[in-house]
Amino acid sequence: MTGHELLNPGAWRTASLTDDSAVIQALLDVEVAWVRAQRSLGLVDDAVVRVVADAGSAAAYEVGAIARRGESGGNPVLPLLTDMRSAVAEHSSNAAEALHRGLTSQDVLDSALMLVASRTLGALRGSLLAAADALAGLADEHRGTVMVGRTLGQAALPITFGLKAAGWLGAVTDAVVEVGATAASLPVQCGGAVGSLAAIDAMVPGEALRAADLLADELGLSSPGRPWHTDRGPVTRCGDAMVRTADVMGKIASDVLLLSRPELGELAEPVAEGRGASSTLPQKRNPVLSVLIRSVAIEAPHLGALLHAAAALAVDERSDGAWHAEWSTLVRLLARVSSAGSQLEELLAGLQVNATEMRHHVDDAGPAILSERLVAAVRNLPEAADIPDDLVGLLKQGASTGKVRDLLRSRVPTENLSDGELDRLLDPTTYLGVSDVLIDRALERHRALGSGDRR
Amino acid sequence: MTGHELLNPGAWRTASLTDDSAVIQALLDVEVAWVRAQRSLGLVDDAVVRVVADAGSAAAYEVGAIARRGESGGNPVLPLLTDMRSAVAEHSSNAAEALHRGLTSQDVLDSALMLVASRTLGALRGSLLAAADALAGLADEHRGTVMVGRTLGQAALPITFGLKAAGWLGAVTDAVVEVGATAASLPVQCGGAVGSLAAIDAMVPGEALRAADLLADELGLSSPGRPWHTDRGPVTRCGDAMVRTADVMGKIASDVLLLSRPELGELAEPVAEGRGASSTLPQKRNPVLSVLIRSVAIEAPHLGALLHAAAALAVDERSDGAWHAEWSTLVRLLARVSSAGSQLEELLAGLQVNATEMRHHVDDAGPAILSERLVAAVRNLPEAADIPDDLVGLLKQGASTGKVRDLLRSRVPTENLSDGELDRLLDPTTYLGVSDVLIDRALERHRALGSGDRR
Amino acid sequence: MTGHELLNPGAWRTASLTDDSAVIQALLDVEVAWVRAQRSLGLVDDAVVRVVADAGSAAAYEVGAIARRGESGGNPVLPLLTDMRSAVAEHSSNAAEALHRGLTSQDVLDSALMLVASRTLGALRGSLLAAADALAGLADEHRGTVMVGRTLGQAALPITFGLKAAGWLGAVTDAVVEVGATAASLPVQCGGAVGSLAAIDAMVPGEALRAADLLADELGLSSPGRPWHTDRGPVTRCGDAMVRTADVMGKIASDVLLLSRPELGELAEPVAEGRGASSTLPQKRNPVLSVLIRSVAIEAPHLGALLHAAAALAVDERSDGAWHAEWSTLVRLLARVSSAGSQLEELLAGLQVNATEMRHHVDDAGPAILSERLVAAVRNLPEAADIPDDLVGLLKQGASTGKVRDLLRSRVPTENLSDGELDRLLDPTTYLGVSDVLIDRALERHRALGSGDRR
Amino acid sequence: MTGHELLNPGAWRTASLTDDSAVIQALLDVEVAWVRAQRSLGLVDDAVVRVVADAGSAAAYEVGAIARRGESGGNPVLPLLTDMRSAVAEHSSNAAEALHRGLTSQDVLDSALMLVASRTLGALRGSLLAAADALAGLADEHRGTVMVGRTLGQAALPITFGLKAAGWLGAVTDAVVEVGATAASLPVQCGGAVGSLAAIDAMVPGEALRAADLLADELGLSSPGRPWHTDRGPVTRCGDAMVRTADVMGKIASDVLLLSRPELGELAEPVAEGRGASSTLPQKRNPVLSVLIRSVAIEAPHLGALLHAAAALAVDERSDGAWHAEWSTLVRLLARVSSAGSQLEELLAGLQVNATEMRHHVDDAGPAILSERLVAAVRNLPEAADIPDDLVGLLKQGASTGKVRDLLRSRVPTENLSDGELDRLLDPTTYLGVSDVLIDRALERHRALGSGDRR
């Protein structure tokens, strides 16, 4: 593991996909794939491919030295290529010549970043699917678990925890779909020095764009049909998908953090040995997963904005600094969001729901939590007159359900409002709107994600 | 016109779509549409709709007073509703009752913001289409206009201005498509106080979600099938589309600014009376359109990030501050990007291309601009030996085409490289790769945008 | 009032300092001050000053038209100057000539922005001082009000509300000092077209920099001794001070929002007629001031970052877009933070503290809230052995104070721990560390802000 | 070297100050310093200090394992402390007990971050001082090197390169001062679990705050007199200083990039073996240092904004995610800006100035570059009449100096404008305003930085 990961707890979860070794591997994969593409074009033979492929394992390269030498040319492709070419040249001068032929360093670096993205998005999508599965279970199980619906921090109307979980599920489902679509559209970069594919065209006249397509195929990336050296949509679209996923996770984590405060006690993180320990308070169990997910959600918008700033500052046929600002930012964003995804999966798989405490707070909220319904119901009565004002007066005082019942009973004849109807009016479990339908819809969309489509 | 527009030159272009009056109008449109939806559900009659619709014009309301009174309840819906209800109540108590019935202020505000977005995106898409048309013309016209391709600010290989324009066109085409798709997906908000549609369900049992769909239809918004009070994807997706559009425009503006520097002189902004004047330098003609577009591109990523930050901080069933941070940010982003779109249209429609100066710089760059080709060509010759090193040495010294020709001629027999081939090698107009194919592809995509699909 | 203020509830509070009229007035003030500076240099006489000053009132200019015409030259100075010169020329051609002589539009616009900042910071500082006064009262009054100290949302140790208020006070005091220092250092801009003061030097050879100093004096701005056309420290320093102030306010608002949730009920916003009303829930009282302050705190970092991005992208002797991105951003930041300052003043002046509820939660937390102390105390006992483990076991189970007392009493002889000492150990009001000293220090710093120094 | 440094070329320059090992070392330094502070308070003896100090070297700990185990408790302090305590306990149980006694993990982590900042700022200040020295030399040497002053990318008036260098110097001098002041004010964190120093107060009644001061002394940090667990000014102030420094460097880098474009050719980066090489264009020499510095300047505002966002979201006595988002962000910002500082030092020490090319562009600009002066001069002549209009007409046509001279000579009698005066009017080297004074002032401020004050 490399990186400032000491200060990013949880980074280990996806470090193997995003650390410096993973980037080196992706860079090597691009160089190898390009030689394979040349073989498909008849430019080199299998032996050349073998020699190059044999030099294509990150383990054979010294990351630190390449990083250090990268400054000189402004990017790590040059020193890596030098080392790779040396390794290859020992076995075949043809292979050394074919290596990188016709490409520019941006082709390799951009394609490698897309490759890193592709691999990380795969893992992230798996985590999100697992989180969605957990949420589907919670939404269904807690259809009848009444809790306080809160707006601006204050009690508003009753909802169910099932509805809340369905809301989370809807957002996570969107994220699964978007992450999947983003992964499928990550494009190869192949334009040569200035995006005209001039050198490639000289190598294989009339087949340069086919060569680009072959490179995409070898790497499992999409073929955009044109270079995007200074049209950075592929980077910002990937970044935006990551930030949106982080937003979704942040919302859930914030809700868990609030609802697991001891004074609320409606939710709790899964218990794991040592998890949430404090350096000095032995009994304390901190909601660490949510805290760390939330920290990623706080960070992500800024990283996404940086990718846009870089895109907006693109110039010429290759940018003079804006491009360079993207690299580690995109990888950092991928690393942070994917590890948070893994944490979210774990959080939701073991989330503890305290239905009793939820109901307790509904009861504490009293009839005020039904004020919307009560006022509307009373207004429609023939004898309404000043009942609504008196009712609101009582509610503002925080009157009990009994007091409110007494007021209504004393002012509305039973022929207009039977005792049963009155009881129903005052029962929070009967003022849940279309919660059940919304849960059904969320479950339906979740099911449609398809099992075949999963990791 | 309202807003800090004095300090946003160009804001007047789309101010009527995004200023406070436009927002008031959108808020009123939502309230009126909701009463129309109630009519479709049989809850009110045509007379009620008429009375409400008659009170639905922004001109009848005092924007400043509503803005001031908005603080008390935390948003402008409450005071506007109070005034609208007063206006309506004079004619019909039924109408006053039907107004806003079952909605929450977030339903109205969110739907109104989507309406403002919808209207602004329509105008923006029109500007982008016009800009794309201009670019298509430039790309086609300048297929043969050779210029220096630049990377990291330095001369690299020759390209054509047609290829550069095609690159811009590709990005603008993406923006047209994305803005169109975004406009088509902007959703209505309709969830009631806590997203359960409880009050609406009480009004029209079993038809609450149909009511939401009817509201969407009335407003020309899409129907998301669920409330999104604290699932802010619709806002961030719209914001991201705006920022990506700004990125695309910023790239073009930066290129124009660079290429219209007097030492380059390859492009110039269209001339317009008074445009680009200086307060003290009478002859100066500043590239004002590009400058202002670039300023929007610098700003947009930060506004987009703020929308994500707000989304990531959503909590409960309505957020306690995060939601409030979105409103003017989204509208500001819409206002800025749409006015820049209008400026871009004007910029590109009249862009002046100086092909002579472009060619001049290619010639100034000398044979070094063909180094990639020359070295590759020489390497493949049977007598290569140390020619490549000598050639690179000459190129590093900035040798003239004649000197380079002499070297090659003296070292390579004509049977291996004829005079004609040598001349071709040294001719920058023959090292343009697949520029023409890339231009064709960009034009093809542009044509596919479809004339029927235009404003 | 102008601006997208409809969507910024609370903006009315300081709108007169930051709206378009205020900016126009500041621009005019700079032009008038420059003519006064010319009088001090003997270039013009009193009559000229009078004529120019008579044309120096914003009310005489049409904001909308100037905003619209501002695009042509890229900023609003040119059209305003045209109108002002026309107005002046009717009375004196000397005055018309003296107007703006030797300045560039950036001199006027930058100086005007600093003037707007200066005026707004004055108001903001007043609000912060009043907020600090309120906090000083709360800190002192609640020295003995024990409450739960919370970390990561969970109960940790007891603190007092006085300590929490002192913490807020310390941060607000920092903000007062910083806002004051920033206001005192806002510099005039005076460099002419390229920062060499060439035209001014031609007007008053050898006295150009004195002219700049005179302009600063007339405007009450500081004199930086050099132009800063593309050295944007003055803008970013002002912006950073605003963002830091917003951070401080955001922390307080978030705490109030959390602690005024009904399940906590430890704090409440001041009650005001109509404040916090809901569109449908009659009894609801939303913590609107805190919500709106928090929304500003969420927004401010992004506006501050934009100012830095613009500063970082400065080029040449005047920037080609980066400068333009600053204007409305700085003013928006000033407007948002100053109105939040006014809200904070009101929030803290009437903040309601529920000491009973605070104590109630301390009691609910049980002896676990003293675990740090208990474990440390037990560890030091000669008979420690396995007492700590047993104690921690009990605490993890959420045992009552009685249970914990019983354990300790049964295992530790009274000669090592008297009953009185044991009771003290279990009393949360005796484990407050140096809270009182920290409160004293905060109050001392607050007093040192000095009454003479206040608005 | 650790970190995503492969993708941050140049990071190696200051990696030893900011990588994971450096952070571990700082964490250990805080734990050791705290035991030293306890010795000063008489709580432990020298032997304990020795044992703890012996366990205080980062090399003895496995960074990767600690990073991985850090998730469980939410930060790396816990696992590091566990390992350190094991190491210490082998030699002394007293030492194991004294370790971390009374502190909370935030005390250690925050203090360690300040320590990392302190060390990095020291190196950065050295680089900036060296850069300032180089700039002072350039400013003085190029007092007479006339070049085009450019605004909005267009030629405006002549300046000297000395003035431009003096402008850069002024900004770098500000940065030196600010970085120095920031370094001097970095505070220790010492508040215990909830900022009341309760456990420390129990350890040393009445001396808890003195203990905090002792910890500060041991670490060479300042003593803030109060904990700042959720008052994050120290972090944002440090971050803002870094971003401002990046802004200053970004401006210089952007100017170098523009002026070293081949069509301008006024500046060039220092030549170094292999520096600026291209993967395919052998003769190309990319301005790599400037490119990489610019990329840091593009990135920094976003990292700074994230620190503010975290500060603004602080809650309770320790934040639930906002704090966690700061750690790696601050370190990344320190790492990026300090390595850019080192690059800037190298860039400026060897910057190549092409005075001939500068003068060439002034001449190319023709008399239009003096339009401000010419129009002002002509307006003051008794026979002005329509000369200004005719003059402007000529200038707009891009007339030569000869043509303009002819016009003026033909229209103004020599008694009003001698031939000598006319020649002077048309000589760009005599319209430089107070450039020399501004250079002197910049040099004076630079000298005042003081040699004793240097690294």
Side-chain angles (χ1 to χ4, degrees), chain B residues 148-162:
Chain B
V148 174
R150 296 168 174 103
T151 58
L152 283 68
Q154 302 297 307
L157 305 190
I159 58 170
T160 61
F161 180 65

Side-chain angles (χ1 to χ4, degrees), chain A residues 241-260:
Chain A
M242 287 303 91
V243 181
R244 283 206 282 262
T245 301
D247 298 343
V248 166
M249 297 194 289
K251 198 297 181 190
I252 298 173
S254 294
D255 275 353
V256 172
L257 285 168
L258 279 170
L259 299 177
S260 63

Side-chain angles (χ1 to χ4, degrees), chain B residues 131-432:
Chain B
D133 292 347
L135 286 173
L138 290 167
D140 200 30
E141 181 184 346
H142 292 283
R143 285 173 182 276
T145 305
V146 178
M147 69 182 292
V148 174
R150 296 168 174 103
T151 58
L152 283 68
Q154 302 297 307
L157 305 190
I159 58 170
T160 61
F161 180 65
L163 180 64
K164 184 182 274 281
W168 295 348
L169 175 58
V172 171
T173 303
D174 283 350
V176 170
V177 171
E178 179 163 13
V179 167
T182 303
S185 72
L186 295 165
V188 82
Q189 178 69 281
C190 186
V194 293
S196 67
L197 295 92
I200 303 172
D201 186 52
M203 277 164 55
V204 281
E207 297 201 281
L209 288 165
R210 199 188 135 221
D213 291 349
L214 288 168
L215 179 61
D217 287 348
E218 290 288 347
L219 294 169
L221 296 174
S222 82
S223 188
R226 68 184 203 268
W228 43 280
H229 290 173
T230 49
D231 172 14
R232 309 305 288 171
V235 173
T236 57
R237 270 187 288 268
C238 180
D240 289 344
M242 289 302 90
V243 181
R244 282 205 281 261
T245 301
D247 298 343
V248 166
M249 298 194 289
K251 198 296 179 189
I252 298 173
S254 294
D255 275 351
V256 172
L257 286 167
L258 279 170
L259 298 177
S260 63
R261 285 183 169 252
E263 296 84 2
L264 284 100
E266 302 183 1
L267 294 178
E269 289 209 351
V271 179
E273 176 60 30
R275 167 80 53 70
S278 151
S279 73
T280 48
L281 310 181
Q283 88 295 345
K284 206 157 173 252
R285 208 180 103 208
N286 287 317
V288 172
L289 293 174
S290 303
V291 163
L292 295 177
I293 293 168
R294 181 170 154 91
S295 83
V296 172
I298 292 173
E299 179 175 1
H302 300 274
L303 299 178
L306 172 45
L307 295 178
H308 278 294
L313 295 171
V315 287
D316 293 333
E317 280 61 64
R318 184 170 317 163
S319 298
D320 56 354
W323 177 48
H324 307 73
E326 290 175 359
W327 313 336
S328 65
T329 302
L330 178 62
V331 173
R332 181 174 174 86
L333 186 53
L334 290 164
R336 299 286 271 144
V337 175
S338 60
S339 61
S342 171
Q343 292 169 324
L344 183 77
E345 173 184 348
E346 188 170 340
L347 169 65
L348 294 177
L351 189 69
Q352 300 179 18
V353 182
N354 189 332
T356 310
E357 204 59 36
M358 288 176 175
R359 176 66 205 225
H360 188 63
H361 291 132
V362 172
D363 294 340
D364 281 354
I369 206 171
L370 294 168
S371 64
E372 181 187 66
R373 167 194 253 184
L374 297 172
V375 171
V378 164
R379 272 219 189 93
N380 290 333
L381 294 172
E383 58 281 307
D386 52 359
I387 307 184
D389 288 346
D390 293 349
L391 171 63
V392 167
L394 264 189
L395 293 171
K396 281 190 177 173
Q397 292 161 32
S400 68
T401 299
K403 279 261 167 75
V404 168
R405 194 184 194 291
D406 291 348
L407 170 78
L408 296 179
R409 193 64 295 161
S410 72
R411 305 277 282 275
V412 188
T414 48
E415 58 264 32
N416 289 339
L417 184 70
S418 72
D419 279 358
E421 284 163 344
L422 180 53
D423 288 342
R424 198 192 59 88
L425 268 189
L426 289 164
D427 177 3
T429 69
T430 62
Y431 196 59
L432 299 167

Side-chain angles (χ1 to χ4, degrees), chain A residues 193-209:
Chain A
V194 294
S196 66
L197 295 92
I200 303 173
D201 187 50
M203 276 164 54
V204 279
E207 297 202 280
L209 288 164

Side-chain angles (χ1 to χ4, degrees), chain A residues 84-450:
Chain A
M84 194 183 192
R85 192 168 272 141
S86 295
V88 162
E90 286 177 27
H91 300 96
S92 155
S93 64
N94 280 354
E97 243 175 63
L99 197 63
H100 195 74
R101 179 164 52 185
L103 296 184
T104 191
S105 56
Q106 185 167 7
D107 292 333
V108 179
L109 192 37
D110 280 352
S111 295
L113 289 175
M114 292 298 103
L115 213 48
V116 170
S118 172
R119 290 161 182 174
T120 310
L121 293 190
L124 173 60
R125 189 170 175 280
S127 293
L128 293 172
L129 272 173
D133 292 346
L135 286 172
L138 289 168
D140 199 31
E141 181 184 346
H142 291 284
R143 285 172 182 276
T145 306
V146 178
M147 69 181 291
V148 173
R150 298 170 174 101
T151 58
L152 284 68
Q154 303 295 306
L157 305 191
I159 58 169
T160 62
F161 180 65
L163 179 65
K164 182 180 276 281
W168 295 348
L169 175 58
V172 171
T173 303
D174 283 351
V176 169
V177 171
E178 178 162 13
V179 167
T182 302
S185 72
L186 295 166
V188 82
Q189 177 71 280
C190 185
V194 294
S196 66
L197 295 92
I200 303 173
D201 187 50
M203 276 164 54
V204 279
E207 297 202 280
L209 288 164
R210 201 189 134 220
D213 293 348
L214 287 169
L215 179 61
D217 287 349
E218 289 288 347
L219 294 169
L221 296 174
S222 82
S223 187
R226 68 186 201 268
W228 43 279
H229 290 173
T230 49
D231 171 14
R232 308 305 289 170
V235 174
T236 58
R237 270 188 288 272
C238 180
D240 290 345
M242 287 303 91
V243 181
R244 283 206 282 262
T245 301
D247 298 343
V248 166
M249 297 194 289
K251 198 297 181 190
I252 298 173
S254 294
D255 275 353
V256 172
L257 285 168
L258 279 170
L259 299 177
S260 63
R261 285 185 169 249
E263 298 83 1
L264 286 99
E266 302 183 0
L267 294 178
E269 288 209 350
V271 179
E273 177 58 30
R275 167 82 52 69
S278 152
S279 73
T280 49
L281 310 181
Q283 88 296 345
K284 206 158 173 249
R285 208 179 104 208
N286 287 317
V288 171
L289 293 173
S290 305
V291 162
L292 296 177
I293 294 168
R294 181 170 155 90
S295 82
V296 172
I298 292 172
E299 179 175 0
H302 300 273
L303 299 178
L306 171 46
L307 295 177
H308 279 293
L313 295 171
V315 287
D316 293 333
E317 281 61 65
R318 183 169 320 162
S319 299
D320 56 354
W323 176 48
H324 306 72
E326 290 175 359
W327 313 335
S328 66
T329 302
L330 178 62
V331 173
R332 181 174 173 86
L333 186 53
L334 290 164
R336 301 285 272 143
V337 175
S338 60
S339 61
S342 171
Q343 292 169 323
L344 184 77
E345 173 183 348
E346 187 171 341
L347 170 65
L348 294 177
L351 189 69
Q352 301 179 16
V353 182
N354 189 333
T356 310
E357 204 59 36
M358 288 177 174
R359 177 66 205 226
H360 187 63
H361 292 133
V362 172
D363 293 340
D364 281 355
I369 206 172
L370 294 169
S371 65
E372 180 186 66
R373 168 194 252 183
L374 296 172
V375 171
V378 164
R379 272 218 191 94
N380 290 334
L381 294 173
E383 58 280 306
D386 53 359
I387 307 184
D389 288 347
D390 293 350
L391 172 63
V392 168
L394 263 189
L395 293 172
K396 281 189 176 173
Q397 292 160 32
S400 68
T401 299
K403 279 262 167 74
V404 168
R405 195 184 195 289
D406 290 347
L407 170 79
L408 297 179
R409 193 64 298 161
S410 72
R411 305 278 281 277
V412 187
T414 49
E415 59 264 31
N416 289 339
L417 184 70
S418 73
D419 279 356
E421 286 164 340
L422 180 52
D423 287 342
R424 199 192 59 88
L425 267 189
L426 290 165
D427 176 3
T429 68
T430 62
Y431 195 59
L432 299 167
V434 296
S435 294
D436 257 351
V437 185
L438 292 170
I439 293 170
D440 288 340
R441 287 184 172 188
L443 294 177
E444 183 51 43
R445 281 191 72 222
H446 170 251
R447 270 190 299 272
L449 288 175

